[in-house]
Amino acid sequence: MLKVNDLKVVYNGNIKALKGVNLEVNKGEIVVLIGANGAGKTTLLRALTGLTKAESESSAILDLSELTDKRTLNRLAGPKLTDKLLKTYGESDIVFDKIRSEENIETEVFGKTTFINRKRINGLRKKYNEYIKTDLLKLPAYRAVDYGVAHVPEGRQIFVGMTVQENLEMGAYKRHNIIKIKKDLEEIYKLFPRLEERKKQKAGTLSGGEQQMLAMARAMISKPKILLLDEPSMGLSPIFVSEIFSIIKALNKNGTTILLVEQNAKAALSIADRGYVIETGNIVLEGTGKELLENDKVKDAYLGA
Amino acid sequence: MSEIVNQIIIGIQMGSIYALVALGYTMVYGIIKLINFAHGDFIMVACFMLYTFIIILKLPAILGLILAILITIIIGVLTERVAYRPLRKKKSPTITALITAIAVSLILENLFQLLFGSDSKMYPDLIKQTTINIGKISVSNISLITIIVSIVTMILLTLFIKKTKVGKAMRAVSENSDAAQLMGINVDRTISITFIIGTFLAGIAAIMYYMKYLKIEPFLGSNLGLYAFVAAVVGGIGSIPGACVGGFLIGIIKVLPNIMSINSSYADIFLFGLLIIILIFKPTGIFGKNIGEKV
C-alpha cells in the first residue's frame, strides 16, 4: 500500500536525519518502526505527510488501487459524473473495473459517443492513473488527508484552545456529508466514552492519556486508509498504554493499515505484523514482529532484557 | 452631566474606529504571530481610495465605498503574498518579518505622498451631519452610525470565527499550523482569508474615520495604527473580544481630559501610562491567556 524509496531528509543543509530509508507497508498490516531518540522516527512520519521536506530523489508511493468506494469515485469524477456512472453500473467497484479496463464506455454511460463524452471519460482515466500512484512526498501537507493518510503527530498536537468536539470536527474538515460525520462522531464517542463526557471542555484541560485519545479520534474521523502514529504511548501510565494499544489493534481489525513509531518496543512489536529498526537515519533490521522480539540485538538495545 | 455623556459618546465613537483597526492587528498576529505595522496604512490607503472615487471621480458614494474596500483588500492580500509569505516559507525569524512590515508601512506612506502630495485633503460631508437630541444629550448621526456599524461588525466577526468552518480553520491554524495542515487545512489560503477580513475591517474603519474627520493625509495611518496597536495589546493581542474592549477603552481615555477639563495632552500620558501598568501586571493583556500544553 505504501512503498518508501530512498527517503532522505537533510536539516539545515548538513544534518542528515534520514539517509535513504526503504520500507514497505502492505494493506491491512500493522508495521512498527522502533528506534532510539534521534534515530529519525518522527522525521520519517513528518516527511511522509509533507510537514518536513524530503530530498527530491526520495519517493513514497501510495498505492490506492484497492480503494473502490463511492467517496473516492466522487472525488475523482465529481458528483455529476459519479451519479451517471453509478446509475449505469450500480456499484462503485464495477465502475472502477470499467475505468481500469480499456473499453469504450462512453456510449454505455452517456447513451451516445461524442467528442466531449470521450474526453470526460479519458480525463477520469488519467486522473485515476495518477491518483493510484501518488507520490506522497510531492504533495503539500494539507493534501495528505485527501489520499486517506492520517498522521497523529508526536506530542499529540491537539488544538488545546478548542473544545473536544471542535477538535473532532477539525478532523472531519475535508468531509462534507454532515449526517455521516454525525454518525461517525457517535461511534467515536462510543469507543472513547471519556471524550464524550468532556466534549464541551477545552481540549487543553484533558489529561495526557485523554489528549492522546483525542488525537487518535481526531485522526480516525477523517476515515483514513493508513494511519501514521507517532509514539502514542509517550508519557502515559501503563493502564493508558495498554488501552491505546488495544485501540490500535481494533482499528487495524476494522481495515485501517497502520504505521506505528514507538519507543515502547515490547508492546509495539507484540501487536505488529512486521517491524523495522532504525538507527541514526538508517534501517538496520527488519522482520516480523515475532522475529524482532526474539532478535538478540533488539533484546539488548530496545527490550532491556 | 450631559456634557460628560456627550464626551463619552465621542469617546466610544473613536473607540469603535480603534477597535476595528485593533481587530486587524490582533487577527493577523493570532494567525502568523506578526505585528503587521502596515495595518494602519491600509486605513490610509482606503481613505485615499474613498477620496479618489467619491471626491475626484465623483462616483456615487456607495460604489465608491465598495471599490475603496475592494482595493484595500487587494493591497492587503498582495502585501502578504509579496512581502510576508516568502519570509514564512524560509522560516525566517520574527524580527525579519517585523522589519519587513515597517518597510511596507514606509513604502505605502511615501507612495501615497508621491501620488497625492503631503498636504491634508479636506472634503465635504459624506452624509449630512445632523444632531439627534435625547433629553439634554445630543448625539450626531455620524457617531451613532459609527458605533452601531462597528458593534454589528464585531458581533458578525465573532460569530464567523466561532461558528463557521473557515472561522474554525482560522483558529486551528492560529493554534497549531502543523496540526491544522494534517486536518487538510490549506494554511496559506487561511492566512490570505485572514488578511482579507483584516483589510475589510480596515476599510470599514476608514469609512468611519473619513466621515468623522473630513480630512486625510498620507501619514494618518501611523498615528491611528499606533493607538489601535495599543488597544490590541491592552486587550490582549490575539484575542478578539480583547481588541474590541481595548479599542473602546482607548477611545474613552482619549476624551478623559475633556471630561476633567484639563489639557488634552494628558490623554496620551494616561493612555501610555495605562499601557505600562497593564504590561507590568498582566503582560498578556486584559483578555490574553496562556493555555499550558500538557505533555
Side-chain angles (χ1 to χ4, degrees):
Chain A
M1 181 167 200
L2 177 68
K3 203 166 182 312
V4 178
N5 286 315
D6 198 23
L7 179 53
K8 286 180 186 157
V9 172
V10 179
Y11 286 125
N12 300 331
N14 55 5
I15 303 160
K16 294 192 176 103
L18 293 177
K19 298 169 184 163
V21 169
N22 296 300
L23 65 82
E24 210 170 321
V25 184
N26 299 315
K27 189 176 188 247
E29 276 187 326
I30 297 183
V31 172
V32 168
L33 185 68
I34 58 173
N37 269 336
K41 306 186 298 293
T42 296
T43 304
L44 188 138
L45 293 194
R46 285 180 62 89
L48 287 181
T49 39
L51 291 174
T52 296
K53 275 276 151 275
E55 297 295 288
S56 56
E57 66 261 39
S58 313
S59 70
I61 306 297
L62 194 61
D63 181 0
L64 294 165
S65 56
E66 285 166 79
L67 286 188
T68 55
D69 56 311
K70 239 158 98 182
R71 208 167 132 221
T72 311
L73 181 62
N74 201 26
R75 188 175 291 151
L76 290 170
K80 258 192 182 157
L81 188 52
T82 303
D83 272 359
K84 270 231 144 81
L85 289 164
L86 287 175
K87 234 184 214 162
T88 316
Y89 298 114
E91 294 295 323
S92 63
D93 11 342
I94 305 174
V95 175
F96 276 102
D97 282 344
K98 291 284 176 185
I99 295 174
R100 273 190 288 268
S101 75
E102 295 290 311
E103 295 166 44
N104 281 330
I105 58 169
E106 55 266 21
T107 327
E108 277 173 52
V109 177
F110 299 104
K112 56 182 182 233
T113 314
T114 63
F115 176 69
I116 290 175
N117 288 344
R118 183 168 305 154
K119 230 177 140 182
R120 283 172 81 182
I121 297 293
N122 285 343
L124 176 59
R125 283 208 169 110
K126 199 173 155 225
K127 240 176 160 179
Y128 174 78
N129 288 329
E130 280 165 17
Y131 178 78
I132 57 166
K133 283 211 176 65
T134 301
D135 184 353
L136 270 182
L137 306 183
K138 303 288 181 288
L139 295 174
Y142 70 89
R143 293 294 309 277
V145 67
D146 289 341
Y147 290 84
V149 180
H151 179 178
V152 180
E154 188 189 30
R156 324 181 205 322
Q157 307 205 17
I158 52 167
F159 303 113
V160 287
M162 295 173 125
T163 65
V164 168
Q165 173 102 7
E166 282 173 334
N167 266 275
L168 294 174
E169 283 167 9
M170 294 322 293
Y173 185 76
K174 277 298 187 79
R175 295 178 57 188
H176 300 289
N177 189 332
I178 295 165
I179 301 162
K180 278 210 177 126
I181 295 174
K182 225 175 159 186
K183 225 183 96 206
D184 288 342
L185 255 180
E186 276 165 27
E187 232 153 78
I188 294 256
Y189 282 141
K190 235 181 261 161
L191 194 60
F192 302 102
R194 237 186 275 257
L195 294 183
E196 180 162 32
E197 285 164 32
R198 289 161 172 65
K199 68 180 177 188
K200 293 256 153 65
Q201 239 168 284
K202 289 261 164 77
T205 64
L206 301 183
S207 76
E210 288 162 350
Q211 291 194 5
Q212 183 60 49
M213 288 181 175
L214 178 58
M216 288 177 63
R218 187 182 64 175
M220 281 156 59
I221 204 155
S222 74
K223 293 253 156 180
K225 299 298 163 197
I226 180 163
L227 186 60
L228 313 179
L229 293 166
D230 197 342
E231 299 212 28
S233 76
M234 190 170 64
L236 300 188
S237 62
I239 199 151
F240 262 121
V241 173
S242 66
E243 206 172 329
I244 295 275
F245 276 100
S246 64
I247 290 165
I248 295 173
K249 254 164 75 182
L251 278 178
N252 178 248
K253 235 181 190 163
N254 286 334
T256 312
T257 306
I258 285 167
L259 176 56
L260 169 66
V261 156
E262 258 302 338
Q263 283 212 52
N264 189 338
K266 197 172 174 189
L269 286 174
S270 54
I271 62 163
D273 293 302
R274 290 186 308 110
Y276 293 88
V277 179
I278 185 169
E279 261 171 29
T280 57
N282 284 310
I283 299 283
V284 291
L285 210 59
E286 62 174 285
T288 64
K290 205 165 160 237
E291 279 167 10
L292 289 179
L293 272 174
E294 286 161 3
N295 184 293
D296 288 336
K297 218 177 140 197
V298 174
K299 273 187 186 162
D300 280 352
Y302 303 104
L303 300 177
Chain B
M1 182 62 207
S2 64
E3 177 52 25
I4 294 177
V5 176
N6 285 343
Q7 284 296 334
I8 288 178
I9 290 174
I10 292 174
I12 294 176
Q13 181 190 359
M14 281 161 56
S16 357
I17 300 175
Y18 294 140
L20 286 178
V21 184
L23 281 170
Y25 275 107
T26 235
M27 287 177 68
V28 168
Y29 180 84
I31 208 150
I32 52 174
K33 303 289 172 281
L34 163 72
I35 310 282
N36 178 19
F37 275 116
H39 189 70
D41 298 293
F42 292 155
I43 290 136
M44 177 273 294
V45 170
C47 283
F48 272 93
M49 289 301 117
L50 286 170
Y51 179 76
T52 309
F53 291 127
I54 297 173
I55 309 295
I56 301 179
L57 299 176
K58 299 200 171 25
L59 295 180
I62 189 78
L63 185 63
L65 298 185
I66 293 170
L67 282 176
I69 291 182
L70 270 181
I71 290 183
T72 314
I73 288 175
I74 291 169
I75 290 181
V77 173
L78 270 182
T79 302
E80 194 273 322
R81 277 279 161 93
V82 175
Y84 304 152
R85 187 175 297 181
L87 297 177
R88 206 165 62 240
K89 296 282 174 222
K90 286 188 173 165
K91 299 202 179 353
S92 43
T94 332
I95 188 79
T96 317
L98 203 67
I99 299 289
T100 308
I102 294 173
V104 172
S105 162
L106 290 172
I107 289 172
L108 286 175
E109 285 171 10
N110 287 287
L111 178 70
F112 276 75
Q113 189 179 10
L114 209 63
L115 291 174
F116 292 89
S118 58
D119 52 324
S120 8
K121 305 272 180 288
M122 308 284 281
Y123 46 83
D125 279 345
L126 200 57
I127 47 176
K128 203 174 155 21
Q129 275 225 45
T130 51
T131 308
I132 300 157
N133 288 308
I134 309 161
K136 278 189 177 166
I137 302 157
S138 56
V139 197
S140 87
N141 57 344
I142 305 273
S143 301
L144 266 184
I145 292 173
T146 303
I147 294 167
I148 291 169
V149 169
S150 19
I151 289 176
V152 169
T153 310
M154 287 170 204
I155 292 171
L156 289 179
L157 179 71
T158 309
L159 287 177
F160 177 80
I161 296 210
K162 272 224 147 103
K163 301 284 177 197
T164 66
K165 201 163 179 174
V166 179
K168 284 178 189 171
M170 286 167 65
R171 280 157 61 205
V173 172
S174 100
E175 267 203 37
N176 187 331
S177 84
D178 272 2
Q181 289 186 69
L182 294 177
M183 304 298 111
I185 297 168
N186 184 339
V187 169
D188 282 337
R189 194 196 292 162
T190 308
I191 290 170
S192 291
I193 293 171
T194 309
F195 271 84
I196 290 174
I197 295 172
T199 40
F200 173 75
L201 297 175
I204 304 271
I207 297 169
M208 309 302 177
Y209 184 93
Y210 193 87
M211 290 198 300
K212 178 170 164 53
Y213 293 98
L214 305 177
K215 194 178 83 175
I216 55 171
E217 43 97 12
F219 296 96
L220 72 87
S222 55
N223 205 353
L224 182 59
L226 178 64
Y227 288 119
F229 175 54
V230 173
V233 171
V234 165
I237 194 141
S239 153
I240 284 177
C244 303
V245 169
F248 287 124
L249 193 64
I250 303 271
I252 289 170
I253 291 173
K254 289 278 276 184
V255 296
L256 266 188
N258 299 352
I259 293 172
M260 295 155 73
S261 312
I262 50 175
N263 191 315
S264 63
S265 294
Y266 278 106
D268 281 358
I269 297 174
F270 292 154
L271 189 99
F272 292 101
L274 176 78
L275 176 68
I276 292 174
I277 290 168
I278 285 191
L279 289 182
I280 289 172
F281 290 102
K282 199 155 187 310
T284 51
I286 300 171
F287 283 82
K289 55 198 163 193
N290 276 324
I291 303 170
E293 199 171 340
K294 281 188 183 162
V295 179

